[in-house]
Amino acid sequence: MIATMRYEFHMQLRSRAMWVVYALVFTVYVAVDRSFFTLYLGRGVEGEPKTAMLALGTMVGALMPVAYGCMVADRLVRDTRLGVAGVLDTTPTGQGSRLIGKYLGVCAATAAPIALVFFGRAIVFAVAEGEPTALGWASTTFLLTITPGLIFIGALTLTGPLLISPMIFRVLFVVYWFWGNLIYPAMMPTISGSIFDATGGYMEFGLLSPERDPNVIPYGPYPGAALNFLRPVASPTVAFLWLGTMLALAVAVLALARLHLARKAT
Amino acid sequence: MRIELTDLTKTYKGNVHALRGLNLDIPTGMYGLLGSNGAGKTTLMRILVGLIKPTSGTVRIGGHDIASGEGKLAVQRTLGYLPQNLGVYPDLTARRFLDYIALLKGLDSRTERRRRINELLEVVALTEEADRKLKGFSGGMVQRVGIAQALLTDPRLLVVDEPTTGLDPEERIRFRNLLSQLAGDRTVLLSTHIVDDVAQTCRSLAVLAKGRLVFHGDVGALVSRAAHQVWTVTTSGPAPTWGRVVSALPEGTGVRYRVIAASPPDPTARPTDPGLEDGYLALMESDRLTHPV
C-alpha cells in the first residue's frame, strides 16, 4: 500500500496536465470573483483572521474541487488503459491494498495545488496583517471544511470511471458538483446545502463560526426548498454528523469499488 | 515447477467457450503453447497467473491449488508474468518502473532491490537506458523491461504471453535466446501463435484449437505429424490446387511451392523433410476435419 501510495503520489504530482487544468480553473475563478485579491476576501471584516480564512475556504472550496475531481477521474482505470494492470494484479500485493494506496497517493497529490493556493493566500494575509493566528485558522479551515469533501469526492471520482468512461464521468461530475453543491436549494430539488453537500458549509456554520447570524446566511432548512429533511439546522453536532457522512460515503464507495474489481476477476 | 490442469473449463458471458475440459501436465523447463488467435491461450495464461477464475476444473502449480487464496498467493510469490501487450507508466524511467514492481512483489530491502534491478537491466541490455523515461522506448525495449520485471523475484514459474509479437527480427531472436537461457530449472511457459518461436526454444509443447487441447508432447512428435506429407513443386504454371500451400518462393522463371498433402499434389512433386510449422499445419488441418465447427 505504501509503495503504491508513494508512486501514485509522485506520478500525479509530476503530471503537467494537472497543473495546467488547475491554473485554468483558478484563472477563470479569480477573473470572475475579484475578491480573492482583496485582503479581507469579500467578507469585509478588517483584520479578523478567522472570518477571512473561512471566506478563503468558501472561495477555494467552491470551484477548485471541480478540477480536483476531473484530475482524479482517470487514475484508477488508466492502469488498464496503459496495460499495466495485468502485471500489477499478479503481484502478491492485494488489489485492496493497491486501491487504498492509489486513493491516498492520488488524492493527496491532486489536493496539493488546492493547498498551495489556499495556504499561499493565507500566508499573504498573515504577513500583510501581521496576524500569525491566520495560519492556525487556515489549517483548521482547510482540515475541517475542505478536506472532508475532498476525501469523499476523491473516492467517488477515482472509482466512478470503473462503470463509465472517464470522459463521460467527468462531464457528469461537473454537473453533479454544480447541482449538488453550489445551486440555491429553492431553485430545484437538490442535495445542495444538505448533509451530503461536500463544500463544508455545515462545518463552517455549525462548528467554526456558529455565532453567524442565521438570518443573514441561513444554514439549515431553506424556505421553499425540497428535501429539507436533509438540511438540519447547523450546530456542532450536525457539523460532526456531516464529517462522518463524508468519511462514511468515501469508505462505502471504496468498498463497493473493491467488490466490483473482485467480481471482474471472475 | 509442475503445472497440472484437470478438466479446466472457461466459459465467458454469452456462452463463449474459451477452454473446454483441458487436461495437461506441464513439466519444469521451457514449454510452448501454440494455437491460432482465439484458441484460448491467453485465457489459459490469465487463469494460471490468477487474473481470472476458471468456470470449472482445477489448476495446481507446484502443488498449490490456485482456487484457494493461500494457493494463489503462494504461486504469485514465485511467479513472473509478461502479459500480451505489456504497458508501462510512460512518465517513469525504466529503473523507477522496475523499483515499483519490485516493491509490489515484496522486495522490501532497498539495497537488495537496487542490486537486483541493476543485475536485470544488465541481463536485458538496458543499463544505458535505465534512467530514460519509458515513453521514449521502442516496442522491443518495453518488452525487455517486461521480461526484467517478470524476473525480479527470480521466479520458479515464468509465464510469457505472445512476447515476440511486434518485434523486429533481431529483437525476436534476442528475446528467444534470453528466454531459453532463463529456462534452466524454471518452468517457462511460452504462449505464441508464431511457430518458429516454439521451434527455436522449446522441447515440449501443447497445441490448442478453439479451446481444446489437440496435441501435447515433444516437438519431434508434432513434426512427425507431417511426415510423408510435405512436398515441393517447382512450376511456372498455376499453383498446385491439391493440398495446402505453405510457402511460395520465386525461383528462376517459376515458383517453388511447399505443399502439405496426403499424396503428391503434382506429378513433378518431390517429397521433403517436414518442419514444426508443417507438423502444426497438418495437425490443424486434421483437427478441422474432425471438428469442423
Side-chain angles (χ1 to χ4, degrees):
Chain A
M1 184 183 96
I2 303 285
T4 305
M5 188 173 79
R6 213 177 78 199
Y7 269 89
E8 290 292 343
F9 179 83
H10 284 121
M11 282 193 280
Q12 178 73 323
L13 206 62
R14 288 179 189 151
S15 157
R16 201 172 298 163
M18 179 183 82
W19 292 98
V20 169
V21 168
Y22 268 117
L24 286 174
V25 171
F26 180 68
T27 306
V28 168
Y29 184 69
V30 296
V32 173
D33 185 352
R34 308 285 300 166
S35 57
F36 185 83
F37 295 112
T38 66
L39 201 52
Y40 306 112
L41 304 161
R43 291 244 174 117
V45 184
E46 189 174 340
E48 214 280 276
K50 185 172 89 171
T51 310
M53 291 306 104
L54 286 172
L56 179 60
T58 305
M59 273 181 194
V60 170
L63 271 193
M64 298 290 263
V66 174
Y68 171 85
C70 290
M71 296 322 295
V72 169
D74 74 330
R75 302 308 283 190
L76 185 57
V77 290
R78 86 173 187 135
D79 286 350
T80 306
R81 180 171 52 82
L82 291 173
V84 192
V87 168
L88 303 182
D89 289 343
T90 55
T91 62
T93 304
Q95 216 168 33
S97 304
R98 281 191 290 112
L99 176 66
I100 300 300
K102 188 180 272 282
Y103 168 68
L104 294 173
V106 165
C107 290
T110 316
I114 300 179
L116 195 69
V117 167
F118 183 85
F119 286 105
R121 188 63 184 84
I123 288 168
V124 170
F125 181 92
V127 171
E129 282 292 300
E131 280 279 8
T133 54
L135 297 179
W137 280 113
S139 304
T140 308
T141 302
F142 193 84
L143 190 69
L144 291 179
T145 69
I146 296 176
T147 307
L150 296 184
I151 287 173
F152 162 54
I153 60 169
L156 181 70
T157 52
L158 184 72
T159 59
L162 288 173
L163 302 176
I164 48 174
S165 85
M167 203 41 83
I168 294 172
F169 181 82
R170 283 177 176 129
V171 173
L172 293 176
F173 172 71
V174 173
V175 172
Y176 148 77
W177 185 256
F178 283 93
W179 167 79
N181 298 280
L182 302 183
I183 204 168
Y184 186 67
M187 274 178 71
M188 64 172 76
T190 169
I191 55 170
S192 178
S194 79
I195 201 78
F196 297 111
D197 183 322
T199 55
Y202 269 110
M203 190 52 80
E204 181 180 349
F205 298 114
L207 185 74
L208 300 178
S209 189
E211 67 276 13
R212 189 172 299 279
D213 181 354
N215 293 319
V216 177
I217 305 173
Y219 221 87
Y222 277 71
L227 305 173
N228 267 340
F229 67 96
L230 295 175
R231 298 186 186 90
V233 174
S235 69
T237 309
V238 175
F240 284 110
L241 177 66
W242 171 78
L243 180 65
T245 303
M246 291 295 109
L247 299 181
L249 284 173
V251 171
V253 167
L254 289 172
L256 284 173
R258 175 71 189 92
L259 279 175
H260 176 81
L261 289 170
R263 275 189 57 198
K264 258 175 77 176
T266 61
Chain B
M1 189 174 239
R2 193 172 155 202
I3 303 172
E4 301 158 82
L5 313 178
T6 312
D7 294 327
L8 193 67
T9 300
K10 178 68 186 178
T11 306
Y12 290 112
K13 275 181 194 161
N15 215 24
V16 178
H17 300 285
L19 296 176
R20 300 163 188 257
L22 235 61
N23 288 289
L24 184 62
D25 212 334
I26 300 172
T28 302
M30 191 87 186
Y31 196 88
L33 189 61
L34 266 180
S36 54
N37 290 329
K41 302 184 304 294
T42 294
T43 297
L44 177 57
M45 302 279 108
R46 288 170 67 83
I47 288 174
L48 292 179
V49 301
L51 283 176
I52 54 173
K53 290 176 184 162
T55 307
S56 63
T58 57
V59 178
R60 295 186 74 81
I61 300 177
H64 301 288
D65 182 350
I66 64 162
S68 72
E70 304 86 62
K72 184 177 159 185
L73 194 62
V75 170
Q76 286 185 332
R77 285 203 179 105
T78 59
L79 169 75
Y81 174 49
L82 176 58
Q84 190 177 3
N85 306 321
L86 168 83
V88 289
Y89 292 119
D91 288 323
L92 290 186
T93 64
R95 191 187 299 283
R96 299 270 295 162
F97 180 73
L98 291 174
D99 185 66
Y100 181 34
I101 303 295
L103 280 163
L104 294 180
K105 288 188 172 187
L107 276 176
D108 293 330
S109 155
R110 180 178 292 204
T111 323
E112 175 59 20
R113 220 165 51 235
R114 199 170 291 169
R115 186 194 62 75
R116 185 70 184 143
I117 289 169
N118 285 337
E119 203 174 278
L120 287 170
L121 285 167
E122 194 73 41
V123 169
V124 298
L126 282 175
T127 305
E128 300 285 305
E129 320 290 337
D131 296 307
R132 260 182 60 197
K133 284 189 178 175
L134 289 164
K135 62 182 162 195
F137 276 33
S138 68
M141 288 160 82
V142 169
Q143 285 295 74
R144 281 189 269 155
V145 173
I147 200 77
Q149 67 76 26
L151 292 170
L152 278 164
T153 50
D154 196 14
R156 308 322 302 150
L157 170 62
L158 187 58
V159 176
V160 285
D161 193 2
E162 307 276 3
T164 59
T165 307
L167 299 189
D168 65 42
E170 245 180 293
E171 287 276 12
R172 257 181 72 193
I173 291 165
R174 179 196 189 91
F175 201 83
R176 286 193 315 221
N177 292 343
L178 181 60
L179 284 180
S180 297
Q181 286 160 19
L182 291 170
D185 58 348
R186 289 186 178 94
T187 299
V188 178
L189 190 54
L190 166 66
S191 158
T192 183
H193 62 272
I194 302 171
V195 179
D196 200 36
D197 285 351
V198 172
Q200 302 298 329
T201 54
C202 303
R203 285 188 195 283
S204 306
L205 80 158
V207 180
L208 294 182
K210 295 173 192 154
R212 285 176 297 102
L213 180 69
V214 292
F215 175 87
H216 67 105
D218 61 30
V219 169
L222 182 55
V223 172
S224 68
R225 290 287 181 120
H228 314 299
Q229 293 185 50
V230 186
W231 313 88
T232 56
V233 179
T234 305
T235 173
S236 53
T241 51
W242 172 248
R244 180 166 184 172
V245 176
V246 180
S247 67
L249 189 69
E251 196 174 81
T253 55
V255 178
R256 191 173 70 192
Y257 295 97
R258 188 180 177 90
V259 183
I260 298 175
S263 55
D266 184 278
T268 62
R270 299 169 64 140
T272 189
D273 289 337
L276 185 60
E277 192 167 46
D278 303 317
Y280 172 73
L281 289 171
L283 176 75
M284 298 314 270
E285 202 61 39
S286 79
D287 183 65
R288 250 191 292 277
L289 293 173
T290 49
H291 296 90
V293 182

